[in-house]
């Protein structure tokens, strides 16, 4: 498997330790690539070279404290490469802040089942405010125990970041939900958080009511995709149930069953 990072800060040593343990326990081999050069792997030419690709990156977004978050691309060539990869059926696991990737392209949001908006902007024909975040202690509740991604996973309580953002519940398969309160007024607006810092940032009052869905399966092109929202800290990376959930997701998107499922109900990406 291949893990992609870059575009957002995170605890790299703990991330590597988690993947070393997961891969050692399952007899897998993994490699690590960093954006922007990592983007070269996301095209039809390389589809299938990796049994699964894990995206823990934020492509297509310039983030710098004190400056407005700025979309960057994708170019037409990048769109064609990503779309061809999805049509070729590359299994993907998308984690945490990678939900914010390619904010200027609805096609990527359609493929992965939603978008975290670092800045206000259009999505699927409507204007959205900036998304919201907060750190909270909550229970991740398994809602689809029969799904292979949830095999052996039990509800677990931990502290991690939550998102207030658009999720396309009508087109994904729910796997886990959070028992936290998703009142938009409890979240901090991310645009102002980046611009002026957490203490001065306003709440996301007025944001449409967000979903409490924190993990799901979906299809982009002919690619089986799993999104897992938790993944903010080294503490989360060390949790046995989180590691099991992530390992199950990787195994499933690489499986013939997942590829058959995605091929029978392809989702065009534009």
């Amino acid at each position: 498997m291949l893990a992609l990072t870059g575009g957002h800060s995170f605890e790299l040593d703990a991330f590597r330790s988690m993947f070393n343990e997961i891969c050692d326990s399952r007899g897998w081999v993994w490699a690590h690539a960093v954006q922007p050069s990592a983007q070269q792997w996301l095209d039809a030419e390389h589809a299938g070279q990796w049994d699964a690709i894990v995206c823990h990156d934020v492509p297509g977004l310039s983030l710098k404290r004190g400056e407005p978050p700025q979309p960057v691309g994708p170019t037409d060539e990048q769109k064609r490469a990503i779309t061809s990869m999805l049509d070729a059926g590359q299994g993907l696991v998308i984690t945490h802040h990678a939900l914010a990737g390619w904010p200027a392209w609805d096609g990527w949001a359609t493929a992965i089942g939603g978008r975290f908006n670092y800045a206000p902007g259009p999505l699927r024909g409507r204007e959205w405010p900036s998304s919201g975040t907060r750190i909270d202690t909550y229970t991740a509740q398994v809602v689809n125990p029969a799904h292979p991604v949830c095999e052996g996973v039990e509800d677990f309580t931990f502290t991690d970041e939550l998102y207030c953002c658009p999720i396309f519940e009508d087109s994904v398969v729910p796997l886990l939900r959070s028992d936290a309160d998703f009142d938009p007024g409890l979240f901090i607006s991310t645009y102002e958080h980046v611009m002026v810092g957490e203490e001065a940032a306003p709440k996301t009052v007025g944001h449409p009511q967000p979903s409490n869905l924190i993990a799901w399966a979906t299809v982009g092109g002919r690619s089986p995709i799993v999104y897992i929202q938790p993944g903010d800290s080294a503490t989360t990376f060390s949790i046995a149930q989180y590691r099991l959930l992530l390992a199950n997701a990787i195994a499933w998107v690489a499986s013939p069953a997942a590829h058959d499922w995605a091929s029978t109900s392809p989702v065009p990406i534009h």
Side-chain angles (χ1 to χ4, degrees):
M1 54 151 288
L2 175 68
L4 306 185
T5 64
H8 195 290
S9 60
F10 71 104
E11 297 178 76
L12 179 58
D13 288 345
F15 184 83
R16 286 174 170 163
S17 177
M18 174 180 66
F19 276 106
N20 285 337
E21 189 277 331
I22 287 174
C23 291
D24 286 349
S25 67
R26 300 210 178 198
W28 298 345
V29 175
W30 78 289
H32 178 204
V34 181
Q35 292 286 15
S37 62
Q39 194 64 34
Q40 66 182 306
W41 292 107
L42 302 185
D43 63 21
E45 178 185 352
H46 296 103
Q49 181 169 342
W50 306 97
D51 294 307
I53 297 176
V54 177
C55 298
H56 193 69
D57 58 342
V58 184
L61 182 65
S62 175
L63 287 176
K64 187 176 181 181
R65 184 69 65 187
E67 297 183 5
Q70 292 289 339
V72 181
T75 64
D76 289 342
E77 182 180 356
Q78 288 172 322
K79 286 182 182 180
R80 284 193 294 270
I82 296 168
T83 300
S84 67
M85 173 200 67
L86 295 171
D87 287 342
Q90 174 64 61
L92 297 173
V93 177
I94 314 295
T95 57
H96 196 52
H97 48 239
L99 195 65
W102 297 121
W105 183 31
D106 278 12
W108 186 242
T110 296
I112 66 176
R115 177 191 293 156
F116 184 90
N117 294 306
Y118 264 92
L123 176 61
R124 286 189 162 187
R126 62 176 289 186
E127 291 294 321
W128 284 86
S130 62
S131 297
T133 68
R134 83 173 193 268
I135 303 293
D136 203 351
T137 299
Y138 66 92
T139 299
Q141 300 175 324
V142 177
V143 296
N144 198 344
H147 197 283
V149 174
C150 299
E151 183 177 357
V153 179
E154 299 177 351
D155 295 356
F156 57 101
T157 301
F158 64 126
T159 301
D160 202 88
E161 189 175 22
L162 289 168
Y163 290 164
C164 171
C165 67
I167 295 171
F168 309 144
E169 279 224 33
D170 60 344
S171 58
V172 303
V173 178
L175 299 176
L176 276 77
R177 294 185 184 273
S178 167
D179 71 343
D181 187 344
F182 276 74
D183 179 344
L186 298 175
F187 292 81
I188 298 169
S189 177
T190 307
Y191 180 83
E192 288 84 357
H193 191 180
V194 172
M195 292 288 292
V196 300
E198 182 176 351
E199 296 300 321
K203 302 294 186 179
T204 53
V205 176
H207 190 287
Q209 179 63 39
S211 168
N212 67 351
L213 194 58
I214 57 170
W216 61 80
T218 190
V219 177
R222 288 178 170 80
S223 294
I225 299 172
V226 171
Y227 175 71
I228 298 173
Q229 194 266 305
D232 182 60
S233 70
T235 301
T236 296
F237 296 154
S238 69
I239 296 171
Q241 292 297 310
Y242 179 80
R243 290 185 174 190
L244 176 59
L245 176 69
L246 181 57
N248 284 353
I250 295 166
W252 182 71
V253 301
S255 70
H259 285 274
D260 288 346
W261 174 72
S263 295
T264 59
S265 53
V267 176
I269 305 300
H270 305 289

